Amino acid sequence: MSDPLAVIAEFPGVPEAVDSARQAVDRLYRHRVLRRASPAVSTESSLRGARASAALEGVDVSLDALRRDEVHDPLVQGALRASAELGRLGSMWRTAPRQVLARLHTVAAAGLAPQSALGRPRAADEAPDPLGLGPAPGASETATRMEGLLGLLERPTKAPAIVLAAVVHAELAVLRPFGAADGIVARAAERLTLVEYGLDPKSLVAVEVGHLEQSAYAGGLGAYLGGTPEGVAQWVQQCASAVSLGVREATAICEAMQRG
């Protein structure tokens, strides 16, 4: 199959969900505040995204506490570092995705994994299961599937960015290739894909917030893990909804800035 992502993009329900999310992003980019303050919106969106990503891993803290630099939990700090790193890694995502993922893991898992394990694929067959998805694939199977994922990032596709981002997110979340902070890396990689593959070039959309606001996050990953066309389509539609909800969060940031 020369373009498997294009096949996924045509699964029932996916084209409509992707188109709705794209239209939401287009409306966001027309907001008048972005003419003068898009970097500030991006910064605030990244902060909210990092908080939401940590919350999905079970560590829920307030934005105010983050702004006051009162949170020292290593998982939250890892989410913040991964979010901050995205701007420096974007130019490498299409050409050197392996190095980008290693760097994301190095900053996300500091304080959660031994120094010698940072940025390195797990050698053990077991991995933590914070979302209750069941046992992760063994190290050998994970390495094989990771090669396939890296290949998807490097080859051309006719599929929309949301489809690629959804698959990147899901594969990293279910494979747990590093064995620590894999969820943080997965959501950072999804956001990076949306930026670098053209949907959200200014990184305004708080897609992580969208995932947090949906109650079926783990359920959607479980559906993807099942491998059926229906399950994969369900996950991609869920990611498209997360984008639309992330647009709503970014719009609220714009409105707050407009009010001063």
Side-chain angles (χ1 to χ4, degrees):
M1 193 181 299
S2 60
D3 193 352
L5 293 171
V7 175
I8 294 173
E10 294 303 321
F11 283 169
V14 170
E16 297 83 357
V18 168
D19 187 59
S20 178
R22 182 188 57 77
Q23 290 183 40
V25 175
D26 288 346
R27 288 193 297 272
L28 169 65
Y29 270 69
R30 291 195 293 269
H31 199 290
R32 67 178 64 184
V33 164
L34 298 177
R35 298 172 192 168
R36 57 177 174 79
S38 65
V41 175
S42 176
T43 298
E44 178 65 15
S45 172
S46 295
L47 179 68
R48 296 187 187 195
R51 189 206 72 82
S53 192
L56 285 164
E57 296 294 301
V59 184
D60 197 353
V61 299
S62 71
L63 279 171
D64 286 342
L66 285 181
R67 292 193 181 99
R68 293 194 297 267
D69 198 23
E70 295 175 352
V71 181
H72 305 294
D73 181 274
L75 192 144
V76 176
Q77 290 298 315
L80 290 169
R81 287 192 297 268
S83 181
E85 198 74 7
L86 294 184
R88 290 185 283 272
L89 295 174
S91 62
M92 299 171 56
W93 189 221
R94 289 175 180 263
T95 58
R98 190 189 309 274
Q99 290 89 328
V100 170
L101 291 174
R103 179 58 184 167
L104 283 175
H105 183 254
T106 297
V107 299
L112 297 169
Q115 185 72 25
S116 60
L118 297 179
R120 297 180 178 275
R122 60 178 165 89
D125 284 334
E126 296 79 25
D129 186 19
L131 297 173
L133 299 175
S140 177
E141 181 184 347
T142 294
T144 299
R145 283 180 61 172
M146 283 298 295
E147 288 300 321
L149 176 63
L150 295 170
L152 288 179
L153 286 163
E154 292 171 338
R155 77 169 65 110
T157 178
K158 294 180 180 179
I162 289 177
V163 174
L164 175 58
V167 171
V168 168
H169 180 165
E171 285 291 299
L172 292 170
V174 303
L175 293 177
R176 288 159 268 169
F178 298 105
D182 292 296
I184 299 295
V185 173
R187 289 180 290 277
E190 177 188 31
R191 185 164 183 150
L192 187 58
T193 303
L194 295 174
V195 171
E196 293 303 319
Y197 286 77
L199 181 73
D200 179 27
K202 295 182 179 179
S203 193
L204 304 173
V205 179
V207 63
E208 306 92 337
V209 175
H211 284 297
L212 181 62
E213 289 188 0
Q214 298 182 90
S215 59
Y217 178 69
L221 285 170
Y224 176 90
L225 187 56
T228 65
E230 294 79 10
V232 173
Q234 176 185 328
W235 170 248
V236 177
Q237 290 175 75
Q238 194 165 315
C239 288
S241 294
V243 168
S244 295
L245 290 168
V247 166
R248 187 177 69 181
E249 187 76 5
T251 302
I253 295 169
C254 291
E255 297 295 332
M257 289 185 176
Q258 186 167 279
R259 292 191 298 269

